[in-house]
Amino acid sequence: MLSIVRNAAIASARQSTALNASRVAVPIALRRAYATENNNEQEKKQEEQGNDKQQPAAEEKKDENDASKLLAEKDKKIAELQDAYIRCLADQENLRERTRKEIDGAREFAIQKFAKDLLDTVDILGMALTAVPQDLRTKQSALESELAKDVEKLADQLSNLYTGVSMTETELVKALKRHGVEQDNPEGQEFDPNKHQALFQTPMPGKDAGTVFVVQKMGYTLKGRVLRPAQVGVVAESQ
């Protein structure tokens, strides 16, 4: 009988111990689970905070890299512009030098065409001078020459000389006209102080006062502009 009671008491004690243990174990497990969740949340928060700190640093670093690239590109562009500027200055200097040489050449050879046209005139004048015999080229030799005694031959020589000189004048006027220089003969025209230079005035019967009656030197114009005024005599009013 005592053994039965002892066994029942032991069994009851074990049940109560197991119940208490189970009651204690449940809150511990809950506390552990809660603690684990808290730890996880804290770790997440720390990670987020770490990410938040790393993100600005990464963005700042990216901005620095972009700024460095922009500076490098700008430096390259500046170098290219400087090189282009230096080349432009060199080209301008070469152009100025070339233009200066062309201007000097044009100034030196400006009358080349005009001079070439005058060569025919010089040739004709030379032929006119050659037409005069050697014996008649000085006064002393002409007086002693047989040609001076022959009037017909002497007249031929004078005629040839006049023809040569006349041809020279005609050719020279043509050459001047080809270059825009034209001869102005104002004889019989009304006196124009812009184009004529009056050397003297005298009354002339049958002629209107203020008109040119004699031309001592022809006037010349260059493309319509007065190159040299004609030197003339003008009819004065009768008193």
Side-chain angles (χ1 to χ4, degrees):
M1 185 67 178
L2 291 172
S3 61
I4 293 172
V5 174
R6 190 185 295 114
N7 292 332
I10 293 169
S12 177
R14 289 179 177 173
Q15 289 179 358
S16 61
T17 302
L19 181 60
N20 292 329
S22 63
R23 288 178 181 175
V24 173
V26 172
I28 293 172
L30 291 174
R31 286 196 296 270
R32 289 179 178 174
Y34 180 74
T36 302
E37 291 178 357
N38 289 335
N39 291 332
N40 292 334
E41 290 179 357
Q42 290 178 357
E43 290 177 357
K44 289 181 180 179
K45 289 181 179 180
Q46 290 177 356
E47 290 179 358
E48 291 177 356
Q49 291 177 355
N51 292 332
D52 292 340
K53 292 181 180 179
Q54 291 177 358
Q55 187 174 0
E59 291 179 354
E60 185 177 355
K61 187 174 182 180
K62 183 180 179 182
D63 292 340
E64 290 179 357
N65 293 334
D66 293 341
S68 298
K69 290 181 180 179
L70 289 174
L71 288 175
E73 291 177 358
K74 289 182 178 179
D75 290 340
K76 183 178 179 181
K77 189 67 176 178
I78 290 171
E80 292 176 355
L81 291 175
Q82 287 178 343
D83 182 67
Y85 176 71
I86 293 173
R87 290 179 182 273
C88 182
L89 290 178
D91 291 339
Q92 289 181 352
E93 183 62 28
N94 292 334
L95 179 61
R96 280 195 294 268
E97 185 66 24
R98 187 163 57 251
T99 304
R100 193 159 43 243
K101 289 182 179 179
E102 290 177 357
I103 292 174
D104 292 340
R107 186 184 297 113
E108 291 176 359
F109 298 99
I111 64 170
Q112 180 176 357
K113 187 176 180 181
F114 177 69
K116 186 177 181 180
D117 286 341
L118 290 181
L119 296 180
D120 293 336
T121 304
V122 176
D123 293 339
I124 294 174
L125 185 60
M127 288 187 291
L129 294 174
T130 305
V132 179
Q134 187 71 30
D135 295 341
L136 298 178
R137 293 180 182 179
T138 62
K139 182 178 180 180
Q140 186 65 28
S141 61
L143 292 175
E144 297 175 356
S145 174
E146 295 293 332
L147 292 175
K149 300 176 182 178
D150 192 338
V151 178
E152 184 176 357
K153 289 183 178 180
L154 186 61
D156 289 340
Q157 296 298 328
L158 291 175
S159 177
N160 292 336
L161 178 61
Y162 176 81
T163 301
V165 174
S166 177
M167 290 176 61
T168 303
E169 182 189 22
T170 302
E171 188 64 27
L172 181 58
V173 170
K174 288 180 180 179
L176 291 172
K177 191 173 182 178
R178 283 195 294 269
H179 293 274
V181 179
E182 296 189 7
Q183 197 175 63
D184 179 28
N185 185 1
E187 186 174 356
Q189 300 177 7
E190 185 178 356
F191 176 75
D192 185 354
N194 296 319
K195 298 171 61 178
H196 310 143
Q197 179 182 359
L199 298 180
F200 57 89
Q201 289 181 317
T202 185
M204 294 291 294
K207 293 184 180 293
D208 296 333
T211 58
V212 177
F213 72 92
V214 64
V215 178
Q216 290 192 350
K217 285 186 178 181
M218 294 288 186
Y220 290 91
T221 60
L222 175 61
K223 299 185 183 299
R225 180 184 296 178
V226 176
L227 186 62
R228 189 190 73 180
Q231 297 181 2
V232 300
V234 183
V235 178
E237 293 183 358
S238 303
Q239 296 181 356

